[in-house]
Amino acid sequence: MLIMEREQLTIAALFLFNSILKAAPSSTSSRSSFLDELVDHGIAPLIRTDTDATVRASADYGNLSLSAGARPAAAVLYPSRPADIAALLRASFANTPPFPVSARGCGHSIRGQASAPDGVVVDMASLGRHGARAAGGAGAAARLSVSVEGRYIDAGGEQLWVDVLRASLGHGLTPRSWTDYLHLTVGGTLSNAGISGQAFRHGPQISNVQELDVITGVGEIVTCSKEKEKDLFDAVLGGLGQFGVITRARIPLAPAPARARWVRLVYTSAAALTADQERLIDVGRGGGGDDGALGGLMDYVEGSVLLDQQQDLVETWRTQPRAPSSSSSSSFFSNADDTARVAALSAEVGGVLYYLEGALYYGGAGDVSTMGVDKRMEVLLRELRYARGFVFVQDVSYSEFLDRVHGGELQLRAAGLWDVPHPWLNLFLPRSRVLDFAAAVFHRILRRRPAVGPVLIYPINRNKWDGEMSAVIPEDDEEVFYTVGILRSAVASGDVERLEEQNEQIIRFCEEAGIGYKQYLPYYSSQAEWEKKHFGAKWAKFVQRKNKYDPKAILSRGQRIFTSPLA
């Protein structure tokens, strides 16, 4: 029986090896080392090389890379434990040449960043599935562990944030920083930054981590934190998958509220919107006066741009307050009269409106009562400079508010509009130039050739970001910067090319106008572009860390930062 199992392992390993290295001959000793590594660690049976597996693992939410002719992965690893991933990375490191390895969570990248052309994609979700079986079918909870006394949750890198929320709420606790969409993996968002309307107060998700388990590009499993292996900890957070695979994160927890007062206010200018947003996020920056009176009254502050009264499903899917029923559509507005009033206001001001999207948490284990939230609302509605008469409020549970985008996803899937190309553009902008950007982009460029999809705009406090981490934000000394998300869907023939051209026009405008932008969820086609346009002053340290933790550039080559071993 043992002989048969070893023969099966060897056959599987040979199949994988030939698939990956058919175009890259290597020495007999390298081949033997590669096979021994796979067989000895028992990972060969966890690998698939069939087209169904490799094409599925190479696709992503953007639906742009494969359609543009990108090469798919040669194989997919379905790990049962972190040690399987470590074994794969050691096998690649020992081989000449090393083959690419990328970790894939939910595949929510836009331009193939999690792909491994002609290499191996690690299906991170498999860790949770195998962990559940090992724990007797406990599901996601098998790799989620809440410490009530320590006020933290240990979450596998493959776990979804929505499951982190549910596990934490079961103990009356919650993480403090979120993304707007919770059906993403812990490791995925921490490899970028993880931002939403809570970031002004608590910082991005990468600023809310106590400890990580990471597998480096040499196959070493390391536990790191600000106190232990600090350099690796800082490198991995916001590191775009370049330094290691996150297999566990320890997330601090706080008492959880029960409810959210969800508010949408309509504005007729970008100047009025951004001025109020900055008043609301003025916490701990010494604003004082009237601004200080509003700072922190909201727990969540975002905004969006309404172009020519576009209110269809694709336009509003990120902000659906309730699931549709057979008798009513899903809309923040209570009736058709509200929609008509907003349309009339839009026409009156030239076709562009702005929403301030906010939420106030209360009840439960939080420190704000129903009476307290009512008083906060009175102050906000009196002091904010929105268009009077255009106030829309929903009262929902805390979990419903945080997971609101999922309802829009289900509606788009039902309508066949989820798995379409998404040529998104996400930017960080200096506070001092946001109105210049709004005038040129929102009022001119985007209106010349309208497209469908939400456009987000909101400010973030710089002092909530850790400059030692790999994430990149605008290189200036302004206390506040803005995030702009132009999140369009290509639903008609020719949309991809048209929207990509529009994205390039936006970038050209920023460069010609001297706006020091940075891309969030960045994508560049060459290392020179990454160095000049993205990393700037951080490039030297980024390269130094790459040399230290992944010197053969095995990890995340789909990012196109490093596509071959470093010298």
Side-chain angles (χ1 to χ4, degrees), residues 149-164:
E149 182 178 343
R151 290 282 184 90
Y152 65 78
I153 181 170
D154 281 328
E158 79 289 346
Q159 293 298 312
L160 301 183
W161 281 103
V162 69
D163 292 319
V164 172

Side-chain angles (χ1 to χ4, degrees), residues 213-276:
D213 284 346
V214 173
I215 306 174
T216 68
V218 300
E220 183 181 5
I221 300 176
V222 182
T223 298
C224 55
S225 67
K226 278 292 188 182
E227 290 73 39
K228 179 183 179 182
E229 303 290 346
K230 177 183 181 299
D231 186 63
L232 178 61
F233 183 78
D234 288 337
V236 168
L237 290 170
L240 304 175
Q242 294 300 305
F243 309 108
V245 177
I246 297 172
T247 59
R248 179 187 64 89
R250 177 165 291 179
I251 312 296
L253 302 176
R259 307 290 299 174
R261 186 73 53 85
W262 185 5
V263 184
R264 179 179 290 178
L265 308 175
V266 180
Y267 286 73
T268 57
S269 73
L273 171 75
T274 56
D276 273 358

Side-chain angles (χ1 to χ4, degrees), residues 301-314:
V301 177
E302 285 197 8
S304 59
V305 186
L306 181 64
L307 299 171
D308 296 305
Q309 185 50 24
Q310 294 176 339
Q311 280 292 298
D312 63 13
L313 179 58
V314 180

Side-chain angles (χ1 to χ4, degrees), residues 66-89:
L66 287 182
S67 61
R71 300 188 309 277
V76 183
L77 173 72
Y78 298 88
S80 62
R81 53 183 181 161
D84 297 332
I85 303 172
L88 179 72
L89 287 166

Side-chain angles (χ1 to χ4, degrees), residues 125-190:
S126 183
L127 284 174
R129 293 193 293 268
H130 283 285
R133 286 197 288 271
R143 283 179 50 81
L144 286 169
S145 177
V146 176
S147 171
V148 176
E149 182 178 343
R151 290 282 184 90
Y152 65 78
I153 181 170
D154 281 328
E158 79 289 346
Q159 293 298 312
L160 301 183
W161 281 103
V162 69
D163 292 319
V164 172
L165 173 64
R166 291 166 182 162
S168 302
L169 287 180
H171 299 274
L173 299 170
T174 179
R176 299 177 301 177
S177 186
W178 299 96
T179 59
D180 281 328
Y181 180 57
L182 300 189
H183 294 252
L184 302 172
T185 63
V186 169
T189 66
L190 295 182

